[in-house]
Amino acid sequence: DIMRASGVTGDDDEDACAAAATASAGSGAGVRSGRKEWQGLERYARWYRANEQWIAPIEQALQSAIWFLPDAGAGASGELRVEVLHSVVSMWTVLNEQALLVTEKGDREAERLRTVEKRFPQALLPLLVATIEQFETVVECVLVHKLEQPGEAAAKASVAGSLHARAPRYKWLTLVEAVKATLRLVQLYKSGGKTSCMLLDGGLSGVGNALDTSCREGERRRNEAFQAFRARYLMPPMGGLGLPRNASRRPSQQVAKGSSHSSTSGEDADLPAELDISIRDAHLLTFAEMLQIVRPVVYCSLLWRDGHRSWRPWLSSLACEVSSLVITNGILRRSASLGGNLLCSREQDARWARLVLYLARSPFYDSYTKRTLVSIRDRLKPVPLLGMASNAGFNLLDDIQSYYTYTSG
């Protein structure tokens, strides 16, 4: 009677049930398909780890052998083919590294030091950044040969030695850098703020974590084991049934709120982290990371506006990078939570080391570095073998310096 009053017949009810069953089956099939794909990725990662000792040398040998191909000096088309081939081969290495990263399990020390997003689609962010980095040199090579023809470049250079000689490629390279910066900012935003706040290797290796300073790792693990034992065996029984108190609750609800070292049993939660980072330092670190991320966009956009002969892009980029490094270095010294993380310390050292690239960026290179290299080459010319090697090395470095992506860091 109720179904008749509501206008629903038996046939309609059967159709609705059938539709619901079909939708449920479809969603279940999608979940099973996703699980199969993930299991396939895990199997491949296990195979790669088992054979990494001979696969990695093959990858390196292939990448090095590409530069010795006969077409390397066959003009623009040959140069472009070599760049494309090198990027494609390098993508194999990138895919292997990302597969190992997202399927990493059981390494508690690595999980303690860094956060790696393993949920879709966030897990694709590092892969997208790595893909853009591998092919941006190909993009620049195409732009140079399509937009900056030799005759056009010579005409621009002859305009009274213009200080602001522009290159059309920088307009498109700024767009590429903006896409990379957006992906990295999203990754930083998804990382969790105060506890995960420093991109490792530009986000390709996860985000560095702030470590718990309440106790050493050994003491922490002993605390976890004791708390799990205590929650299971030492809590008073309830109702004479021999069950632990609050047995029906989740483990995270069995902990007293006032305890500073509360823990949960199993895998539901960890001990609460005790960090020595102030809110001000956390905000400063986030600002420093954002400054580090947007620096290439600032540099490339100023190259587009002012040209590579102007000192403004060079000085602005250096100011952004040094400011970010000084802020981060101060926080690492004040905070044992970050300074004690070996991955964060290594990342900071690598960033300081990358400052050497400013010696290879115009106009500093044209004004100082190139003159020094020419002087060294001329002094070594009389030496039989060193003279030939120094001349070849200078020509190679001079060609590399003319490309933005080789010296962008």
Side-chain angles (χ1 to χ4, degrees), residues 25 73 100 110 128 163 187 190 325:
L100 295 178
L128 291 175
L163 180 64
Q187 190 176 359
K190 295 288 185 181
L325 288 170

Side-chain angles (χ1 to χ4, degrees), residues 1-305:
D1 294 337
I2 294 176
M3 293 176 65
R4 293 194 193 96
S6 59
V8 178
T9 65
D11 294 339
D12 294 337
D13 188 46
E14 292 177 359
D15 293 343
C17 291
T22 302
S24 177
S27 62
V31 171
R32 287 192 297 271
S33 176
R35 288 176 179 173
K36 287 180 180 179
E37 293 176 357
W38 188 260
Q39 290 173 357
L41 183 62
E42 289 181 338
R43 284 196 297 270
Y44 175 78
R46 284 196 299 269
W47 173 83
Y48 185 89
R49 288 189 181 98
N51 301 278
E52 188 175 5
Q53 69 276 4
W54 62 268
I55 297 178
I58 291 177
E59 294 175 351
Q60 296 173 2
L62 284 175
Q63 294 178 21
S64 301
I66 289 172
W67 300 112
F68 296 96
L69 292 176
D71 287 339
S77 60
E79 182 182 4
L80 182 58
R81 283 196 297 269
V82 170
E83 289 291 350
V84 171
L85 188 57
H86 183 267
S87 298
V88 171
V89 172
S90 299
M91 276 304 300
W92 183 30
T93 303
V94 168
L95 292 173
N96 288 332
E97 290 174 351
Q98 292 301 313
L100 295 178
L101 198 64
V102 299
T103 58
E104 190 176 56
K105 290 182 179 179
D107 192 347
R108 296 192 60 182
E109 183 64 17
E111 293 174 356
R112 189 174 72 96
L113 296 177
R114 69 184 179 190
T115 297
V116 177
E117 185 60 64
K118 299 180 180 180
R119 294 175 300 174
F120 183 85
Q122 291 92 329
L124 295 179
L125 292 176
L127 180 59
L128 291 175
V129 174
T131 303
I132 294 174
E133 287 185 345
Q134 288 300 325
F135 285 94
E136 63 182 350
T137 304
V138 177
V139 173
E140 183 176 13
C141 190
V142 172
L143 292 173
V144 167
H145 295 300
K146 294 295 183 182
L147 301 180
E148 301 174 19
Q149 299 299 329
E152 182 181 346
K156 290 182 178 180
S158 64
V159 183
S162 176
L163 180 64
H164 301 289
R166 298 184 181 182
R169 59 177 144 160
Y170 292 121
K171 176 173 67 174
W172 302 104
L173 291 176
T174 301
L175 180 61
V176 173
E177 292 290 0
V179 173
K180 285 185 355 186
T182 302
L183 294 174
R184 284 171 174 157
L185 287 173
V186 172
Q187 190 176 359
L188 184 65
Y189 174 76
K190 295 288 185 181
S191 65
K194 189 174 180 179
T195 57
S196 301
C197 41
M198 191 172 182
L199 292 182
L200 304 175
D201 194 20
L204 303 185
S205 301
V207 187
N209 291 336
L211 304 181
D212 187 0
T213 60
S214 59
C215 57
R216 294 191 298 270
E217 182 63 15
E219 296 175 354
R220 177 187 175 92
R221 292 179 181 177
R222 286 194 293 271
N223 266 343
E224 290 176 348
F226 173 73
Q227 292 290 344
F229 175 82
R230 180 175 180 271
R232 184 171 182 180
Y233 297 109
L234 302 183
M235 301 298 283
M238 181 181 65
L241 299 177
L243 296 175
R245 183 184 300 172
N246 301 331
S248 61
R249 300 182 184 179
R250 290 178 57 85
S252 59
Q253 296 174 338
Q254 299 177 10
V255 183
K257 292 182 180 179
S259 174
S260 62
H261 292 287
S262 302
S263 178
T264 60
S265 61
E267 298 177 356
D268 293 284
D270 293 323
L271 286 170
E274 188 172 308
L275 308 179
D276 61 350
I277 306 176
S278 64
I279 296 178
R280 176 178 175 273
D281 281 350
H283 291 166
L284 277 175
L285 186 60
T286 301
F287 171 74
E289 286 299 299
M290 294 176 65
L291 200 60
Q292 187 76 20
I293 291 170
V294 302
R295 180 207 61 80
V297 183
V298 173
Y299 178 52
C300 204
S301 61
L302 290 176
L303 285 174
W304 174 30
R305 190 187 72 175

